[in-house]
Each structure stands twice: as structure tokens, then as C-alpha cells.
Amino acid sequence: MSKYKKKINHCAVFKQRTKNDDNDELSNSMIMRARKTGQLNLSSRGLFTVPSRVWTINELTEDELKELNFELDYDETEQRWWEQEPLKILNLSCNSLTTIDAQIDNLNNLTELDLHSNLLQKLPKEIGNLTKMITLDLSHNKLEEIPTQFYRLLELHNLNLKSNLLKELDTGITDLIMLSHLDLSHNNLIELPIGIGYLVRLIFLDVSHNSLKNLPPDIMSMRALQKLIASYNELKELPSLNELRKVEIIMLQNNKLTIFPDLSGCVALKELHLSENNIVDINMLHLEEVRQLKVLILRNNNIKAIPEGIIQFINLEYLDLSNNNISLIPVCIGIMPNLKKFSIEENNIQNVRADIIRCGTSRILKHLQQSVDIANINVNDSMLSNTSTIAYPNKYMMKNTRMLSLAGHNLTELPIEVLEDANTAGVTLIDLSRNQMHELHEMFSVITTVTDLKLTSNNLTHLPEWIGEKYKHLQALDLSKNHLLSLPSTIGLLKYLRNIDISFNRFTELPEHIYEISSLETLVINDNMVTNIDVPSLKKLKKLAVLNLANNNIDNVPAELGTLTNIRSLMLSGNCFKNPRQAILAKSTEEILAYLRNRIPQ
């Protein structure tokens, strides 16, 4: 190994590289290995020219012919000259090659050729004779043009021309119909040839960092395309992309777009990058049928409003609208179930304070959730079906939003058809706030996909026993402002329930079966008639972080409550106990708990 290292190090920078130096890089052992495996790696050898024997690597020299042993038995393990593997994979990357010899057409069995990171200014026309080529990497060279013979490589699947000096492409590229990956990024292209849409097998196309002013309309014919990158160009408008039904990622940032692109049929789209453009509005019609979107980046545009229809993107995890002209954040943002990052800084927001925005995503969403009123969310009138005086959302609307929202309609019950449609649509949120419901009828049990149930401000006196058995996926339950005295025993079966709000009811104690919900993180029971705090039972709730017991009839706060160190927010004000004093209650939760721990008898 030391001898090998010495051989490649002697050519470095202390003398001018010669052809003999390049030839010496190809040792006899490498030739023998290449004949055996069909692969030759000459990457990072400091080559200025390709060693001559590469072009005739499978031909025997006179010396090799003299040494041939024609008396070898068939079972002997020595290599037999007639059992060579033709060269199929050749790696010449990361050298200083300026030309490729015309003899390259001797290697007519090549399927993979790597020439990236050299100094090539042109290609020999003979490269078009390598008709078995499948993968060709010519990236990071100085190519200004491609010979027309190149387009005979009809078996080519992967072509990388990134970081060259190409100004135009011949229409011959449309003959490479087997291409699945094409990288033309970081060149000087001002247009793509008409007919590029014939490359119908493309699943990856990168034309970023060029000077393109438009994309050809036939790009919509690339119906196998999964990733389209056209960022950092001069695109002012785009053809409709609504036929790209398999595309998952579209990157169009840093262009000159003024109109939101038409992606209405892109049903598989997961990421859309449109930052650094001149887009003025988000056209929801251009996003029709787009239901899988997870990332939407629109920072540094001229957008004036966030459409309330954005709530249809129930899978959205990252929404960036920073540095636009937005003045209002619709409250529906607060109930988007999977939103993890929401960037809205550098706008002139009027309905959310600047200090809340500076606190980041979680604080913004919490603020919106506190003021959310789903009944005020505007829905498209064309998506509503009027079966009575109440406009009930139909199954298509519910399928799009995953919501059954009928807040503030003074309802006492719902038609079974609406509930069956909700189940078919797979709704995860039911909001029946501010109605006149006296009970949750058993017909509601047909909806088994519910994760969030809002029943605040009704006339409920009890909950049915089936709720714990049918709503097994429930994560949030709001029963505030009703007339409840107790909860059903099956409430303890809700193993995914994280938040429960039973404030403004008639509870005299915490319902015992709540202590069985090991996943519970938030328990809100303020403004009831609770008289005591059962600390041993509360200790069962290992994940409990928020406990609101304000405005009850608690006359004693046990010191042992201070041992519940997992609690991050504790509210006790408005009760009739004398200790802790009001001055203590005004302090942070951590200080209140520390005060209580210090009162535990030693």
C-alpha cells in the first residue's frame, strides 16, 4: 500500500505533468482487475490525459501474448485470457482532463461513464457510438456545446450536465426518451427546446440556476415527473402544470413570477417552494385537489392575504409567509392539525400582537386557538347542500377539510345523513359549540375517526357511556360551559386524550375516571364547585403539564401538590383558601410548587 501511495504522490505540483506520467497511473494490476470486474476507477489521479491503454484495455500486448499458457486446465484458477469482462464502468472524475480521445468508441460496452469535475471544453463526436450507455456524468466541466452525435445514446437513463457553460440545447435531446434523471442546472440556458415534453419517463428534472424566461408548454406531458426544480431563473409566467399528477416536489423560488402557478391536478404534491418572487395572492383554485401538501414556502413575495381555504391542507407542516404584505392571520391557521412551523414575521399583522409573533409558532398557534371560532370560517357556497334552513356541509366539503363544523346554529340534533357523510369523509374535528344540545345522541357514535370534539356552550347534563368505546382516537375534548355533574366511567378508555376542558360546569370534585387517562397533558376544570385536591390520584397523571383549578370552592391546598414537578402551569386563584396567599399565587408555577414543597412536614 505504501508503494501505491508513493506512486500517485510523485506527480503532484513539483514538475509539469507529462503523458508518460498519466500512462503510469494505470498499473498492470489495475488492468488485470478491470478485465476481471469490467470496472476501472481512475478518479482523483491528477490526470491531464487519459492513459492510452484505457482505450484498448481488453486487448493483449505482445508481451502478454508471449506469456500466454495455452496448456491451462479448465479447472485451474489462473485467469484465462479469453475469459475477460469487457469494460462497462469507467470513472475518470476529479482530474484535469481537457479532452477525450476519439478512441473512446472502442469502449462500446460502457454502461456508466463518470467524467465529472474535469476541464472538458468539448466532447468527441465518437461518444455517440457508446450506444449501451445508461449513466453519464459530465457535471462540473467547461462544455459550451454538445455534439449532435451525442443524441444517439438512446439507452441513456441518467444524464448530468450540471455546472457547465451550455447556452442552448439541440432538439436532439428529445430523442433520449429513456431518460429518467436529467440535470441541466448551473448553465447559461435561456430556453429549453420545444419537444422536451417527449421525455415522458423523466422522474427528476433540474433546470435551476440558468436564465430561462419560460418553460415550454409541453412540460405538462412529463406525467412521470416526481421532482421539478426550476429555481433561480427569470421565469415570469408558467404553463399549467396540472397534468403532473405524480410530482411531489416543485421548486420555483428566486424567479419573477407574479401569478400563482396552476397546480390544480398535482394530487401527490408535498413540497412547493415559491419564495423570492412577485406573487400577489394565493389562488386556491390553482391548488384544487392538492391534499398531500406538507411544505409551502412563499416568503419574500407581495402576498396581501392568507385565504381561509388554506385550512384544506390538513397535512401542512411548514408554512412560510414571512416578508409579504399580509395584515391579518385567519383564525383557521390555529386549528391546522399538523402545522409545526409557521413563519409570518416581516408583515404588518394587525390581529396578532408583535410580541406574540416574535415568540414563534407555538405561541402564535396558541393565541389563535384561544380565539378560534370555526363558525366564522367562510366556506365556498358551492360546496354546501341545503337540506333544511340550516346549511349542512356535504361530504365533499367535509372530505376536504376533515371537519364537521356547525357552531352557533342553535341545533338540538343533527340528521343521521350528515353524520353518516361525516364518517364517510373521515372527519377528525367535530365542532358543535354554541348550540342547544341536551345530549350527544347515540347516532354520533357512527363517526369513529374523531380526534377533536368541541361541545362548549351547550346544555349537556351528561355524556353517553359509548364515548370512550367509540371515540378511541380522541385527543382533545372541550365540554366547557355546560351543566355536567359527572363524566362516564368509559372516559378512562381514551388512551390518546391529551387535553380536556370541563370548565364552567357543576363538578364538585374531579371525576375519578379522569385519573385513568395516562396520556393527559392539560386538565382545565376552573369555574366549577370543586372542594378538594386529590394529590395521590393526580400523581397517576405522569404527563400532566397544565392544571387549572381557578374559581372553585377549594378551602385547602395540600402541600404535597408541590411534589407534582411535571406541572408547568398551575392556576389556583379565585378559591377560598388562605394559604398560599395571593402574593404567592402571583408568582410562577415553579415558585408556587417550591413554596408548597417547603411546607411539607419534615
Side-chain angles (χ1 to χ4, degrees):
M1 180 60 74
S2 59
K3 181 178 179 181
Y4 181 67
K5 284 185 177 180
K6 184 177 180 180
K7 182 176 181 181
I8 65 171
N9 286 337
H10 85 284
C11 317
V13 294
F14 301 107
K15 64 176 182 177
Q16 188 173 359
R17 185 86 176 198
T18 67
K19 178 65 175 175
N20 287 335
D21 292 332
D22 289 337
N23 287 336
D24 289 343
E25 290 294 331
L26 183 58
S27 65
N28 285 331
S29 63
M30 294 173 70
I31 293 173
M32 299 299 289
R33 187 161 59 248
R35 288 174 177 175
K36 183 177 181 180
T37 63
Q39 302 181 27
L40 177 60
N41 188 347
L42 289 171
S43 176
S44 304
R45 298 277 177 161
L47 299 173
F48 280 79
T49 60
V50 179
S52 301
R53 288 205 62 191
V54 169
W55 312 128
T56 57
I57 196 166
N58 289 104
E59 296 178 11
L60 300 180
T61 64
E62 291 185 5
D63 291 338
E64 287 175 327
L65 286 169
K66 290 177 183 178
E67 295 175 2
L68 284 178
N69 184 353
F70 291 95
E71 298 180 355
L72 284 173
D73 292 333
Y74 187 78
D75 292 332
E76 290 188 43
T77 57
E78 294 183 53
Q79 185 182 24
R80 292 174 288 275
W81 65 272
W82 60 87
E83 291 187 350
Q84 294 184 31
E85 184 72 22
L87 195 62
K88 294 181 179 179
I89 299 176
L90 175 58
N91 188 344
L92 294 167
S93 63
C94 303
N95 285 293
S96 299
L97 303 175
T98 57
T99 59
I100 297 295
D101 197 282
Q103 294 183 79
I104 192 172
D105 67 354
N106 293 339
L107 306 179
N108 53 20
N109 286 292
L110 275 184
T111 60
E112 184 175 327
L113 175 59
D114 192 345
L115 287 163
H116 85 265
S117 302
N118 278 283
L119 302 171
L120 297 173
Q121 296 180 6
K122 62 179 181 179
L123 298 173
K125 63 182 180 180
E126 288 77 10
I127 198 170
N129 296 329
L130 307 180
T131 54
K132 295 182 181 179
M133 189 76 68
I134 294 175
T135 299
L136 178 55
D137 191 344
L138 292 163
S139 62
H140 297 278
N141 279 282
K142 297 181 180 298
L143 297 172
E144 295 184 10
E145 60 181 3
I146 303 294
T148 56
Q149 293 84 356
F150 178 89
Y151 303 114
R152 298 175 187 166
L153 304 179
L154 301 183
E155 294 299 317
L156 207 56
H157 285 59
N158 307 298
L159 175 57
N160 192 344
L161 287 164
K162 177 180 180 179
S163 297
N164 278 281
L165 304 173
L166 299 173
K167 293 182 180 179
E168 62 179 349
L169 281 181
D170 190 90
T171 55
I173 197 169
T174 64
D175 294 333
L176 306 182
I177 58 173
M178 299 302 292
L179 278 179
S180 61
H181 290 73
L182 176 59
D183 192 340
L184 296 167
S185 62
H186 295 270
N187 278 281
N188 299 321
L189 298 171
I190 58 175
E191 64 179 358
L192 297 178
I194 297 295
I196 199 167
Y198 289 127
L199 304 180
V200 294
R201 290 181 173 84
L202 271 187
I203 61 176
F204 174 91
L205 175 61
D206 189 349
V207 293
S208 63
H209 294 273
N210 280 282
S211 300
L212 300 175
K213 291 181 170 56
N214 56 65
L215 296 180
D218 59 1
I219 197 171
M220 62 184 282
S221 298
M222 298 178 181
R223 294 178 185 172
L225 200 63
Q226 295 177 13
K227 188 170 184 178
L228 171 61
I229 307 175
S231 50
Y232 294 90
N233 278 284
E234 298 178 16
L235 300 172
K236 293 183 178 180
E237 58 181 350
L238 294 172
S240 174
L241 303 177
N242 59 9
E243 294 295 327
L244 304 182
R245 303 188 74 82
K246 292 187 178 181
V247 70
E248 296 181 2
I249 299 174
I250 295 180
M251 306 185 74
L252 295 165
Q253 66 267 33
N254 291 82
N255 278 285
K256 298 179 179 180
L257 299 173
T258 58
I259 299 175
F260 200 92
D262 185 0
L263 309 170
S264 54
C266 301
V267 295
L269 188 62
K270 294 180 180 177
E271 292 187 25
L272 177 57
H273 299 258
L274 287 166
S275 61
E276 308 287 347
N277 279 283
N278 299 313
I279 297 171
V280 296
D281 68 348
I282 304 173
N283 189 336
M284 294 305 297
L285 292 178
H286 286 182
L287 289 169
E288 194 175 357
E289 296 187 52
V290 179
R291 297 290 177 265
Q292 304 302 318
L293 198 63
K294 292 185 176 182
V295 176
L296 178 58
I297 310 296
L298 281 160
R299 65 175 173 270
N300 294 316
N301 278 277
N302 296 316
I303 294 170
K304 297 179 181 178
I306 305 174
E308 291 179 335
I310 203 165
I311 194 174
Q312 72 185 37
F313 302 130
I314 61 171
N315 295 304
L316 199 64
E317 297 178 1
Y318 182 18
L319 175 59
D320 189 346
L321 289 163
S322 55
N323 199 13
N324 278 279
N325 297 322
I326 298 167
S327 58
L328 296 174
I329 304 176
V331 292
C332 63
I333 294 290
I335 58 170
M336 296 182 74
N338 293 297
L339 194 60
K340 297 180 176 65
K341 183 171 177 58
F342 176 51
S343 297
I344 195 66
E345 60 271 13
E346 301 299 326
N347 281 280
N348 186 27
I349 302 300
Q350 302 295 313
N351 66 329
V352 179
R353 298 196 315 270
D355 61 305
I356 293 176
I357 291 175
R358 284 195 294 270
C359 289
T361 301
S362 59
R363 183 67 184 92
I364 296 171
L365 297 184
K366 182 178 179 181
H367 174 81
L368 293 172
Q369 288 162 3
Q370 289 172 346
S371 60
V372 70
D373 184 353
I374 299 176
N376 291 329
I377 296 176
N378 295 322
V379 295
N380 192 330
D381 290 340
S382 64
M383 302 181 77
L384 295 177
S385 60
N386 295 313
T387 57
S388 67
T389 56
I390 301 296
Y392 293 108
N394 62 30
K395 60 184 177 183
Y396 302 106
M397 172 63 181
M398 290 188 281
K399 186 175 182 180
N400 288 335
T401 63
R402 294 293 190 270
M403 295 191 311
L404 170 56
S405 175
L406 285 167
H409 286 291
N410 293 320
L411 296 170
T412 57
E413 60 182 12
L414 290 183
I416 185 62
E417 295 82 4
V418 174
L419 299 175
E420 289 174 345
D421 284 347
N423 184 50
T424 303
V427 299
T428 57
L429 169 64
I430 296 179
D431 186 1
L432 295 172
S433 306
R434 296 184 292 108
N435 281 292
Q436 302 295 325
M437 311 286 289
H438 290 273
E439 62 176 344
L440 199 61
H441 197 276
E442 190 171 1
M443 59 188 182
F444 279 90
S445 66
V446 301
I447 310 173
T448 57
T449 53
V450 181
T451 60
D452 191 344
L453 178 60
K454 298 182 184 298
L455 295 168
T456 183
S457 301
N458 275 278
N459 295 319
L460 298 174
T461 57
H462 68 281
L463 272 190
E465 286 288 334
W466 55 257
I467 194 166
E469 299 167 350
K470 299 294 184 179
Y471 286 2
K472 293 181 180 179
H473 303 289
L474 203 61
Q475 298 178 21
L477 177 59
D478 188 350
L479 297 167
S480 59
K481 298 181 181 179
N482 279 283
H483 308 299
L484 299 171
L485 295 168
S486 63
L487 293 179
S489 60
T490 57
I491 204 80
L493 300 177
L494 300 175
K495 61 179 181 179
Y496 299 111
L497 191 65
R498 297 166 53 190
N499 307 312
I500 186 169
D501 186 345
I502 51 176
S503 60
F504 294 94
N505 276 282
R506 299 177 181 179
F507 293 96
T508 57
E509 60 181 2
L510 271 70
E512 60 177 317
H513 297 289
I514 278 184
Y515 303 122
E516 300 170 13
I517 309 173
S518 59
S519 58
L520 201 62
E521 298 175 6
T522 301
L523 174 55
V524 180
I525 192 171
N526 58 280
D527 293 273
N528 278 277
M529 296 178 283
V530 176
T531 57
N532 64 79
I533 302 174
D534 187 348
V535 175
S537 295
L538 283 172
K539 285 184 177 180
K540 298 176 183 177
L541 304 177
K542 304 294 184 183
K543 296 183 179 180
L544 190 64
V546 177
L547 178 59
N548 188 344
L549 290 164
N551 300 321
N552 277 282
N553 295 331
I554 299 169
D555 58 5
N556 176 53
V557 179
E560 290 76 14
L561 186 62
T563 62
L564 303 182
T565 53
N566 53 308
I567 292 180
R568 297 289 176 266
S569 178
L570 175 63
M571 283 149 277
L572 292 168
S573 60
N575 283 281
C576 53
F577 51 77
K578 294 182 179 180
N579 271 306
R581 298 188 308 276
Q582 194 63 36
I584 299 297
L585 295 179
K587 295 183 178 181
S588 68
T589 295
E590 186 177 354
E591 290 173 308
I592 295 173
L593 294 177
Y595 170 83
L596 292 171
R597 285 196 297 274
N598 289 335
R599 298 189 66 213
I600 297 176
Q602 300 299 317

